[in-house]
Amino acid sequence: MFSVCVRDHFMIAHSFQGETFGPAQRLHGATYVVDVEFRRTALDADGVVVDIGRAGDALRAVLAALNYRNLDDEPAFGGQNTTTEFLAFTIFERMRERIARGELGPGARALESLRVTLHESHVAWAAYEAALAEPPRP
Amino acid sequence: MFSVCVRDHFMIAHSFQGETFGPAQRLHGATYVVDVEFRRTALDADGVVVDIGRAGDALRAVLAALNYRNLDDEPAFGGQNTTTEFLAFTIFERMRERIARGELGPGARALESLRVTLHESHVAWAAYEAALAEPPRP
Amino acid sequence: MFSVCVRDHFMIAHSFQGETFGPAQRLHGATYVVDVEFRRTALDADGVVVDIGRAGDALRAVLAALNYRNLDDEPAFGGQNTTTEFLAFTIFERMRERIARGELGPGARALESLRVTLHESHVAWAAYEAALAEPPRP
Amino acid sequence: MFSVCVRDHFMIAHSFQGETFGPAQRLHGATYVVDVEFRRTALDADGVVVDIGRAGDALRAVLAALNYRNLDDEPAFGGQNTTTEFLAFTIFERMRERIARGELGPGARALESLRVTLHESHVAWAAYEAALAEPPRP
Amino acid sequence: MFSVCVRDHFMIAHSFQGETFGPAQRLHGATYVVDVEFRRTALDADGVVVDIGRAGDALRAVLAALNYRNLDDEPAFGGQNTTTEFLAFTIFERMRERIARGELGPGARALESLRVTLHESHVAWAAYEAALAEPPRP
Amino acid sequence: MFSVCVRDHFMIAHSFQGETFGPAQRLHGATYVVDVEFRRTALDADGVVVDIGRAGDALRAVLAALNYRNLDDEPAFGGQNTTTEFLAFTIFERMRERIARGELGPGARALESLRVTLHESHVAWAAYEAALAEPPRP
């Protein structure tokens, strides 16, 4: 199996509902450093997993729709706790759509799976990974 | 598959038996930076893999029983080479017990697997991973 | 010159006023990974720059007063843009007060300077450093 | 599953053919920080995955044959784009040969799989992983 | 003293002249991860050291003139060994010119010093730092 | 000012005397990841701060005399608490002697200062820096 990974980041505000979250029930925020790993069994004709320039552009576009926002006000997340796990899943789904639409090039349709990791500090991260053919989950 | 990972560290002395180990047969020591990755297919009702506060507390408790010790003197390891690999397995088993006892909350019983990684320097690490339902191995 | 550095982190929401800040004028947030470096010319009687346990406790207490908060609502910052630079200065001043009060032990009064660095992502950080005897600046 | 990973690096020049590569069609270069992860189900008699000294020596030897070279001039790669993905595969194959020849010790023949990761910057990496018993792929 | 630092990278080919350089006399290459630290005594009216957006744009422009090139062919370096130290100095001078031209905004003329660090691997880096008012050196 | 830095590591056992050290009074150990930064105002005739190959060899030799040892048993440290700060100073002095003896080449006698940093975990480090002409301190 081959993999290629690109890294970028975004910065948001949000709050959580539920006693489990303790002080994180208050409005606070986070920098998420995001790694998206693209996987496939065989390389394409250029000898790559994915056009890394297009992959980085797609990730930047996905993060731009989240960056510098208060996620509590985003209709797309209405009521949902935007935990690190949930945001990893969200970015996975949005990258999957862009791959399906051909934004990463026609060859990218041969990608088999993705892993999206969000580093929220130097001591904690969360990830979501799945086959691209798998139906959405959480 | 969803993952959450927490990081902590401990500092120990030990020595190894066997010519393979060369100068590491002498009494020496290590800082281990420990990553414990918790995995499950679906998020719990709060939208998380595990209560990250409890997960961090459990890891701290597991490491406290090893920290600032000479492992050559620990009865629990009688005669065993406490290699990085072996210590990763040991921490896995001790985290598994705490999960089974409910210390990470009742929802944590839905965790499916763990990966425990011990970074021993900037150029070497070792890990042990297994399904939580799997019988102990090494 | 000897130095000792401890690392911790905090997570906040805030917004900035001024066109310079572009989209960061919206309410967003950040994880700040904080390094506090303590410096002195000679070691104390124990052979250390500072009691690292007390230093870490003091930093944790300073960050607890900021953590999981919307800094736009903090009276202490009334109207001030809580830029990374400004927060580095704020943490410097709060650590300086704790050193002066003797919270890091009597020997810590021999500390000569501090450097406080806030990492806001994998590609940007800001810092403030000064002699402890110097009057506050910004 | 147990893993052990060792890290080293090499520095090369090369160029790529194909419009996909944009400015990387020009002669340029890279530092690759290389992680080789060795995996097996059970530890050997010494309590390790592999003799980490021998593993590091084998990796150093593999990288020495690439280091400080213009890969466009290497007959072994005649015409092939030496992408990060392809180089990860190449290093995998060369490590596999050394394991098969017994250079990592007789116990290393019980290794089940390898993962070779090449970090090309702070924001991008590529990897190749496979079972050692699997026939070569790309 | 306040500091702000931004990180970016570039990838080049080059070779060195002189027996000191051993195998690095051959044509090879490197990824340089570049940190540019901007310093001043007091913050500007917006509460920042420098407009970090403009600082990042200026650094990207400076690196674009080096990126994906064989430095042995660059007339600007005619005959000079493009060591990591020398490249740190070069980037310092090119950033200084952009600051002097007002590209980082009029407030950036109050910057007092820069430090440019080039990480060439996980085990080596080089840096050049100077006051902006100081005449060029090497 | 120009700098070059090389990184290596060593692994030791030791214990501390004094109530300040709490559980670290027990025999334990550490991995120290060591950065040695070499500084001078002007580059040498080859365009470098120091021959990085010789610098790395000298550091390896200095660390080999400490590596895989119980520092409580080293006559050189008789009775002294081998704190991270003290070890940074020790490595500084041993590197200084090697520079003075010409081991890093004749040009290295133009080096002006060193900074030795020991990372003891992902959340703590200590350093010692001084001019090479300065008399030894602690």
Side-chain angles (χ1 to χ4, degrees):
Chain A
M1 181 65 66
F2 286 96
S3 298
V4 159
C5 186
V6 294
R7 173 170 285 192
D8 206 331
H9 76 286
F10 67 109
M11 304 174 88
I12 54 87
H14 60 173
S15 63
F16 296 136
Q17 297 189 15
E19 281 179 29
T20 308
F21 295 102
Q25 293 175 85
R26 300 196 297 254
L27 183 64
H28 64 287
T31 306
Y32 294 111
V33 175
V34 183
D35 288 327
V36 180
E37 181 184 345
F38 302 86
R39 296 169 179 157
R40 59 194 290 173
T41 307
L43 298 178
D44 73 9
D46 288 314
V48 298
V49 165
V50 68
D51 180 332
I52 199 171
R54 287 191 185 196
D57 289 347
L59 178 57
R60 195 169 311 112
V62 165
L63 300 186
L66 299 167
N67 204 7
Y68 294 123
R69 276 176 174 76
N70 177 359
L71 301 185
D72 293 354
D73 292 344
E74 293 295 301
F77 302 135
Q80 170 74 41
N81 274 333
T82 53
T83 60
T84 313
E85 294 90 324
F86 175 80
L87 290 171
F89 171 77
T90 299
I91 292 167
F92 177 99
E93 285 301 322
R94 294 182 180 184
M95 288 299 293
R96 165 147 71 171
E97 287 162 23
R98 286 175 187 264
I99 291 165
R101 284 205 301 266
E103 272 187 38
L104 281 76
R109 290 211 184 83
L111 290 167
E112 292 163 36
S113 63
L114 297 184
R115 177 179 171 96
V116 176
T117 307
L118 269 64
H119 304 267
E120 71 178 61
S121 75
H122 64 306
V123 291
W125 54 258
Y128 178 71
E129 63 183 301
L132 286 163
E134 223 173 277
R137 155 129 343 232
Chain B
M1 180 65 66
F2 286 97
S3 298
V4 158
C5 185
V6 293
R7 174 170 285 192
D8 206 330
H9 76 287
F10 67 109
M11 304 173 87
I12 55 86
H14 60 173
S15 63
F16 297 136
Q17 297 189 16
E19 282 180 28
T20 309
F21 295 101
Q25 293 174 85
R26 299 198 297 253
L27 183 64
H28 63 288
T31 306
Y32 294 110
V33 175
V34 183
D35 288 328
V36 180
E37 182 184 345
F38 302 85
R39 297 168 178 159
R40 59 195 289 174
T41 307
L43 298 178
D44 73 9
D46 287 314
V48 298
V49 166
V50 69
D51 179 332
I52 199 170
R54 287 191 185 196
D57 289 347
L59 177 57
R60 196 169 310 114
V62 165
L63 300 186
L66 298 167
N67 204 7
Y68 294 123
R69 277 175 174 76
N70 177 0
L71 301 186
D72 293 354
D73 292 344
E74 292 295 301
F77 302 134
Q80 171 75 40
N81 274 333
T82 55
T83 61
T84 313
E85 294 91 323
F86 175 80
L87 290 170
F89 171 77
T90 299
I91 293 167
F92 177 98
E93 286 301 322
R94 294 182 179 185
M95 287 300 293
R96 166 148 69 172
E97 286 162 25
R98 285 175 186 263
I99 292 165
R101 284 205 301 265
E103 272 188 37
L104 282 76
R109 291 214 182 83
L111 290 167
E112 293 163 35
S113 63
L114 298 183
R115 177 179 170 96
V116 177
T117 307
L118 270 64
H119 304 266
E120 69 178 60
S121 74
H122 64 306
V123 291
W125 54 258
Y128 179 70
E129 63 184 300
L132 285 163
E134 224 172 274
R137 159 136 333 240
Chain C
M1 180 65 66
F2 286 96
S3 298
V4 158
C5 186
V6 294
R7 174 169 285 192
D8 205 331
H9 76 287
F10 67 109
M11 305 174 87
I12 55 87
H14 60 173
S15 63
F16 297 136
Q17 298 189 15
E19 282 180 29
T20 308
F21 295 100
Q25 294 175 86
R26 299 197 298 253
L27 183 64
H28 65 287
T31 306
Y32 294 111
V33 175
V34 184
D35 288 328
V36 180
E37 181 184 345
F38 302 86
R39 296 168 179 158
R40 59 194 292 174
T41 307
L43 298 178
D44 73 8
D46 287 314
V48 298
V49 164
V50 69
D51 179 332
I52 201 170
R54 288 192 184 195
D57 289 347
L59 178 57
R60 196 169 309 114
V62 165
L63 301 186
L66 299 167
N67 204 8
Y68 293 123
R69 278 177 172 76
N70 177 0
L71 300 186
D72 294 354
D73 292 344
E74 292 296 300
F77 302 134
Q80 171 73 43
N81 274 333
T82 54
T83 61
T84 313
E85 294 91 323
F86 174 80
L87 290 171
F89 170 77
T90 299
I91 292 166
F92 177 98
E93 286 300 322
R94 295 181 179 184
M95 288 299 292
R96 165 148 71 172
E97 286 162 23
R98 285 174 187 263
I99 292 166
R101 285 205 301 265
E103 273 187 38
L104 282 77
R109 291 211 183 84
L111 290 167
E112 293 163 34
S113 64
L114 298 183
R115 178 179 170 95
V116 176
T117 307
L118 269 64
H119 304 267
E120 71 178 60
S121 74
H122 65 305
V123 291
W125 54 258
Y128 178 71
E129 63 182 300
L132 285 163
E134 225 174 273
R137 161 145 324 249
Chain D
M1 181 65 65
F2 286 96
S3 298
V4 159
C5 186
V6 293
R7 174 169 285 192
D8 206 331
H9 76 287
F10 67 109
M11 304 174 86
I12 54 87
H14 60 174
S15 63
F16 297 136
Q17 297 188 16
E19 282 180 28
T20 308
F21 295 101
Q25 293 174 86
R26 299 197 297 255
L27 183 64
H28 65 287
T31 306
Y32 294 111
V33 175
V34 183
D35 288 328
V36 180
E37 181 183 346
F38 302 86
R39 296 169 179 158
R40 59 195 290 174
T41 307
L43 298 179
D44 73 8
D46 288 314
V48 297
V49 164
V50 68
D51 179 333
I52 200 170
R54 287 191 185 196
D57 289 347
L59 178 56
R60 195 169 310 114
V62 165
L63 300 186
L66 299 167
N67 204 8
Y68 294 122
R69 278 177 173 75
N70 178 0
L71 301 186
D72 293 354
D73 293 344
E74 292 296 301
F77 302 134
Q80 171 74 41
N81 274 333
T82 54
T83 60
T84 312
E85 293 91 324
F86 174 80
L87 291 171
F89 171 77
T90 300
I91 292 166
F92 176 98
E93 286 301 322
R94 294 182 180 184
M95 287 299 292
R96 165 147 71 173
E97 286 163 24
R98 285 175 187 263
I99 292 165
R101 285 206 300 266
E103 273 187 38
L104 281 77
R109 290 212 183 83
L111 290 167
E112 292 163 35
S113 64
L114 297 183
R115 178 179 171 95
V116 176
T117 307
L118 269 64
H119 304 267
E120 71 178 61
S121 74
H122 63 306
V123 291
W125 55 257
Y128 179 70
E129 63 183 299
L132 285 163
E134 226 174 273
R137 159 144 327 247
Chain E
M1 179 66 66
F2 286 97
S3 298
V4 158
C5 186
V6 294
R7 174 169 285 193
D8 206 330
H9 76 286
F10 67 110
M11 304 174 87
I12 54 87
H14 60 173
S15 62
F16 297 136
Q17 298 189 15
E19 282 180 29
T20 308
F21 295 101
Q25 294 175 85
R26 301 197 298 254
L27 184 63
H28 64 287
T31 306
Y32 294 111
V33 175
V34 183
D35 288 327
V36 181
E37 181 183 345
F38 302 86
R39 296 168 178 159
R40 59 194 291 174
T41 307
L43 298 178
D44 73 9
D46 287 315
V48 298
V49 164
V50 69
D51 179 333
I52 201 171
R54 287 191 186 197
D57 289 348
L59 177 56
R60 196 169 310 112
V62 164
L63 300 187
L66 298 168
N67 204 8
Y68 294 123
R69 278 176 173 77
N70 178 359
L71 301 186
D72 294 353
D73 292 344
E74 292 295 301
F77 302 134
Q80 170 74 42
N81 274 334
T82 54
T83 60
T84 313
E85 294 92 321
F86 175 81
L87 291 171
F89 172 77
T90 299
I91 292 166
F92 177 99
E93 286 300 321
R94 293 181 180 185
M95 287 299 292
R96 166 148 71 172
E97 286 162 23
R98 285 173 187 264
I99 291 165
R101 286 205 301 265
E103 272 187 39
L104 281 75
R109 290 211 184 83
L111 289 167
E112 293 163 35
S113 64
L114 297 183
R115 178 179 170 96
V116 176
T117 307
L118 269 65
H119 305 266
E120 71 178 60
S121 75
H122 64 306
V123 291
W125 54 258
Y128 179 71
E129 63 183 301
L132 285 163
E134 223 174 275
R137 158 141 330 242
Chain F
M1 180 65 65
F2 285 97
S3 299
V4 159
C5 186
V6 293
R7 174 169 286 193
D8 206 330
H9 75 286
F10 67 109
M11 303 174 88
I12 54 86
H14 60 173
S15 62
F16 296 136
Q17 298 189 14
E19 281 180 28
T20 309
F21 295 100
Q25 293 175 85
R26 300 198 297 254
L27 184 64
H28 64 287
T31 306
Y32 293 111
V33 175
V34 183
D35 288 328
V36 180
E37 182 183 345
F38 302 85
R39 297 169 178 157
R40 59 194 290 174
T41 308
L43 298 178
D44 73 8
D46 287 315
V48 297
V49 164
V50 69
D51 180 332
I52 200 170
R54 287 192 185 195
D57 289 347
L59 178 57
R60 195 170 310 113
V62 164
L63 300 186
L66 298 167
N67 204 6
Y68 294 123
R69 278 176 173 76
N70 177 359
L71 300 186
D72 294 353
D73 293 344
E74 293 295 301
F77 302 135
Q80 171 73 41
N81 274 334
T82 54
T83 61
T84 313
E85 295 91 321
F86 175 81
L87 290 171
F89 171 77
T90 299
I91 292 167
F92 178 98
E93 286 300 322
R94 294 181 179 184
M95 287 300 292
R96 166 148 70 173
E97 286 163 24
R98 286 174 186 263
I99 292 166
R101 286 205 301 264
E103 272 188 38
L104 282 76
R109 291 213 183 84
L111 289 167
E112 292 162 35
S113 64
L114 297 184
R115 177 179 171 96
V116 176
T117 307
L118 269 65
H119 304 266
E120 69 178 60
S121 75
H122 64 305
V123 292
W125 55 257
Y128 179 71
E129 63 183 301
L132 285 163
E134 223 174 276
R137 159 138 331 241

